[in-house]
Amino acid sequence: MRTGKELLMASKVFASEQRWRSWWCLLSTLVLCIASTAVLFIPMAWPLKLPLSLLSGLLIVRLFIIYHDFQHGTILTRSPFAKTILDIFGILVLCPPSIWNRSHNHHHAQNSKIQSLNIGSFPIMTMDTYATATPYQRRLYAFSRHPITILIGYLTIFLWGISLRAFLISPREHRDGALAIILHLLLIAALCQSSFAQAFYVLILPLCVACGVGSYLFYAQHNFPGVKLYSKEKWNYVLAATESSSFMRMSPLMHWFTGNIGFHHIHHLNAKIPFYRLPEAMAALEEMQSPHTTSLAPWDIYRCFCLKVWDAKSERYLSFGEADRALAVLQTATAVP
């Protein structure tokens, strides 16, 4: 079984795009997304508008994965036309290119490294940091990983975390963050000229769906039962892919809507593999065919959300209840003369 550099080298066979296929994926998804949005402007009863709005949100998820691959330099490189389309898309979905590139590249370089800064990923508290954290710090940490925070990722992660917060921290570097927010508010105001319902079904609900799905996928891809985290000294890129990134089981339709991002362990092994070649790579690389898995089933979602505090001794995530009990036992033991 290949490990390390051998496995990484074997993956490079799949790290080339089929240009016509990349264009087909981009243009066909873009047409479907525009069409589904256009239909929502037609007066109709809400039982018809609601599923169409949800469909529009799922199409945004697929288009986002195409945007994600483009930003990795995986597909449609050196195409000004593709760059224009996808940069505009990134701004419209509150994920501007400058901010996404900085945070996501950091995520790939630091995924599962305990001592790294929490840029482009959900924060991680170890038992040591949890034990010394103030009540406010614990509440803030709990909020950052709370299911509701992820469910309303449209507001908490994309509008605030990705666009506004990044702009406030570095205005010159991330001016597109301010542009995204201003344009977003202007679009809502323009749509509300007709009615709030128009703004809700055409823009707000699709983005709520897309950002909520995207936020949870990103969370569960690195926060799942069996995940491993590593110290700076023990960390390496291939381990971060094979032991710290999941494969999410989905129906073929959901794999299509999510652009195969469920094959996340393959993506972290080699981000230059186009999203449409990830299943092919997994089928060919024997070492990647027994990954840690999760799914969108309620029980699996619950299990992922239970993971809160990393315990280096047992090498697993604990729930807050388990962490509090472990600290209580430790404090009692140290208090005994």
Side-chain angles (χ1 to χ4, degrees):
M1 299 290 281
R2 295 162 295 189
T3 58
K5 289 185 178 180
E6 290 181 333
L7 186 55
L8 187 58
M9 290 298 295
S11 73
K12 289 186 177 182
V13 174
F14 308 97
S16 60
E17 71 168 325
Q18 298 163 343
R19 195 75 167 189
W20 68 269
R21 193 172 179 184
S22 298
W23 277 115
W24 167 251
C25 289
L26 171 60
L27 296 178
S28 62
T29 307
L30 184 64
V31 168
L32 289 172
C33 200
I34 292 172
S36 67
T37 302
V39 171
L40 289 168
F41 282 95
I42 300 172
M44 65 180 77
W46 73 264
L48 294 175
K49 268 199 170 178
L50 181 61
L52 286 171
S53 190
L54 297 177
L55 172 63
S56 185
L58 290 174
L59 288 168
I60 291 172
V61 173
R62 178 172 170 81
L63 200 53
F64 185 88
I65 300 304
I66 296 170
Y67 168 75
H68 159 271
D69 268 25
F70 177 80
Q71 296 301 332
H72 269 301
T74 301
I75 61 172
L76 302 174
T77 55
R78 299 182 300 279
S79 170
F81 182 55
K83 177 174 172 56
T84 299
I85 292 173
L86 292 169
D87 282 359
I88 292 171
F89 170 79
I91 290 170
L92 288 174
V93 297
L94 300 170
C95 190
S98 74
I99 300 168
W100 177 254
N101 280 332
R102 174 177 172 270
S103 63
H104 199 62
N105 288 339
H106 184 275
H107 164 68
H108 271 261
Q110 307 292 331
N111 169 39
S112 79
K113 192 183 294 183
I114 297 174
Q115 298 173 348
S116 66
L117 294 173
N118 297 312
I119 298 174
S121 60
F122 288 90
I124 299 169
M125 255 194 190
T126 64
M127 282 294 291
D128 289 339
T129 54
Y130 185 71
T132 58
T134 65
Y136 171 75
Q137 289 171 328
R138 290 187 182 185
R139 286 195 296 270
L140 191 63
Y141 178 68
F143 173 79
S144 71
R145 298 173 72 92
H146 197 280
I148 294 177
T149 301
I150 294 171
L151 179 66
I152 59 170
Y154 163 53
L155 298 176
T156 55
I157 295 173
F158 284 80
L159 185 63
W160 162 247
I162 295 179
S163 297
L164 183 56
R165 185 172 180 271
F167 169 71
L168 293 175
I169 291 173
S170 183
R172 290 186 180 180
E173 187 179 358
H174 299 312
R175 284 172 290 188
D176 51 0
L179 176 61
I181 293 169
I182 292 169
L183 183 58
H184 186 68
L185 295 177
L186 288 174
L187 284 172
I188 291 176
L191 290 168
C192 281
Q193 293 297 311
S194 172
S195 68
F196 176 75
Q198 189 81 296
F200 178 75
Y201 286 114
V202 171
L203 183 63
I204 298 174
L205 183 56
L207 279 182
C208 283
V209 171
C211 295
V213 170
S215 297
Y216 178 71
L217 288 175
F218 189 69
Y219 174 85
Q221 284 156 356
H222 302 291
N223 295 270
F224 53 87
V227 65
K228 298 296 181 184
L229 304 185
Y230 299 95
S231 64
K232 185 177 180 180
E233 295 73 26
K234 294 182 179 180
W235 184 92
N236 72 65
Y237 191 85
V238 174
L239 269 180
T242 58
E243 299 298 325
S244 309
S245 304
S246 67
F247 170 68
M248 185 167 287
R249 303 184 306 276
M250 301 183 196
S251 68
L253 181 61
M254 280 305 296
H255 274 307
W256 186 88
F257 276 122
T258 58
N260 291 325
I261 202 63
F263 292 79
H264 210 63
H265 62 307
I266 306 293
H267 172 63
H268 266 271
L269 177 65
N270 193 332
K272 295 298 183 182
I273 300 176
F275 71 94
Y276 48 77
R277 299 196 69 182
L278 293 174
E280 176 190 356
M282 182 174 173
L285 298 172
E286 183 181 354
E287 299 84 352
M288 304 300 288
Q289 291 171 10
S290 300
H292 298 286
T293 64
T294 184
S295 76
L296 296 176
W299 174 243
D300 280 340
I301 292 174
Y302 171 78
R303 293 176 71 208
C304 289
F305 277 135
C306 285
L307 308 178
K308 303 296 184 181
V309 182
W310 179 255
D311 181 23
K313 291 182 179 179
S314 61
E315 295 189 327
R316 68 182 185 93
Y317 270 113
L318 306 180
S319 67
F320 281 132
E322 289 173 321
D324 289 337
R325 287 191 292 273
L327 287 179
V329 169
L330 181 61
Q331 289 167 359
T332 301
T334 55
V336 174

